[in-house]
Amino acid sequence: MHSRPVGAVTRGTTNPNRLRRQDRWLTGPQAWRLRRMDDPPIVVDLGYGASPVTAVELHDRLRRVRPDVRTVGIEIEPSRVAQGRELLAHNPGLAGLSFRRGGFEIPLDAGRSATIVRAANVLRQYDESEVAGAWERICSRLAPHGLLLDGTCDELGRLSTWVAVTPDGPVSFTISLRLAGLGDPMDVAPRLVKSLIHRNVPGEPVHAYLAALSRAWTINAPLAPHGARQRFVASARALKDDGWPLRDGPTRWRLGEVTVDWSAVAPRA
């Protein structure tokens, strides 16, 4: 166990319901990771920021899947940990939620590992060269079949992207968009995860992927009168028909969410 937390203090920006899209994915397609555990699973909200609100929301949503889940909010900044603990002192209904000081080393009780670690808007503040090392360190603290969600989003959570990482490496990349009022899926570009944001240039796979999604959205403009959901579903189906290895189907597409194999968007060496 490290004597000092590993990592740097984040800016701490947060808003209520900002991470709902990531939570919805963790409690949807990834819920099996929680259900298969014999012991109460541990889920970590790493670097939750200046307010503990997103950790509280995550815990509430996780309990609908696994009532005995243990959610741990981890922060480097001591005052943020103190704020979380103060909240718990006045809200006994938040059983199973705790806060502690730490970083990428993921300090948990002796012998315990995390089923899921959500690191939202954390690694975007690091250099791209530091991402792989952070992934490796965090994944070393995962339980078998555990998952790291490395994600980012805009201030209101309307545009979000994330990479799913296992101890064997990254496995998928997800884009989740608020469809109402969406102009172009390419609008998500400024919110790409750190491992991809500087690779959104011609010649890189992620640039080709975003361009293909944008093109499909444009081609399916005639469906706009039927609603943005129908248009996005048709756009995602066009991607799949064109050979992009999508991991999901219409049920998720209707939410403005599309997940593709990491190998299809991974940065070129």
Side-chain angles (χ1 to χ4, degrees):
M1 184 70 67
H2 292 271
S3 58
R4 294 193 303 172
V6 178
V9 177
T10 65
R11 287 188 293 269
T13 305
T14 190
N15 279 306
N17 222 24
R18 187 185 187 191
L19 304 180
R20 61 192 179 279
R21 297 183 178 279
Q22 298 176 18
D23 293 352
R24 184 172 61 189
W25 187 73
L26 291 175
T27 56
Q30 303 304 312
W32 64 271
R33 299 180 189 273
L34 302 171
R35 295 189 178 107
R36 72 178 300 162
M37 299 291 293
D38 293 329
D39 295 327
I42 296 177
V43 176
V44 171
D45 189 8
L46 179 63
Y48 55 83
S51 166
V53 62
T54 57
V56 173
E57 291 171 344
L58 175 62
H59 184 58
D60 180 60
R61 290 161 180 156
L62 292 170
R63 286 198 293 183
R64 299 171 196 172
V65 175
R66 184 73 189 249
D68 62 347
V69 68
R70 300 292 183 262
T71 306
V72 183
I74 294 180
E75 257 290 348
I76 289 180
E77 174 55 53
S79 64
R80 298 174 183 174
V81 178
Q83 185 178 2
R85 290 174 174 171
E86 180 70 13
L87 175 69
L88 294 180
H90 294 88
N91 291 274
L94 294 176
L97 176 62
S98 62
F99 296 91
R100 62 181 58 185
R101 188 171 183 236
F104 295 148
E105 78 283 5
I106 313 295
L108 298 174
D109 293 337
R112 295 306 308 272
S113 299
T115 300
I116 295 171
V117 175
R118 183 185 68 184
N121 301 304
V122 173
L123 291 177
R124 66 185 301 178
Q125 301 177 190
Y126 289 76
D127 290 334
E128 181 184 351
S129 61
E130 298 176 283
V131 171
W135 284 354
E136 183 177 1
R137 183 181 290 272
I138 295 170
C139 286
S140 71
R141 300 292 293 119
L142 292 176
H145 309 293
L147 182 81
L148 160 65
L149 185 158
D150 170 15
T152 187
C153 64
D154 66 349
E155 287 74 12
L156 297 178
R158 295 177 176 178
L159 304 170
S160 186
T161 69
W162 57 86
V163 179
V165 189
T166 71
D168 293 325
V171 294
S172 66
F173 170 66
T174 300
I175 293 173
S176 184
L177 310 168
R178 183 177 184 268
L179 296 179
L182 178 66
D184 188 324
M186 191 70 79
D187 294 343
V188 80
R191 304 298 173 175
L192 289 173
V193 291
K194 191 65 178 188
S195 54
L196 294 177
I197 192 166
H198 302 299
R199 302 302 185 115
N200 186 26
V201 295
E204 286 283 347
V206 70
H207 182 270
Y209 179 65
L210 289 181
L213 180 57
S214 177
R215 184 166 55 252
W217 177 257
T218 300
I219 291 172
N220 284 286
L223 292 175
H226 300 286
R229 285 185 175 180
Q230 292 300 320
R231 185 178 177 185
F232 193 78
V233 167
S235 301
R237 183 173 288 113
L239 285 186
K240 193 161 191 174
D241 290 345
D242 284 344
W244 289 97
L246 302 190
R247 290 193 162 212
D248 45 21
T251 299
R252 306 306 298 182
W253 300 341
R254 287 177 55 82
L255 302 174
E257 176 189 295
V258 61
T259 300
V260 68
D261 286 351
W262 174 255
S263 59
V265 296
R268 296 191 186 281

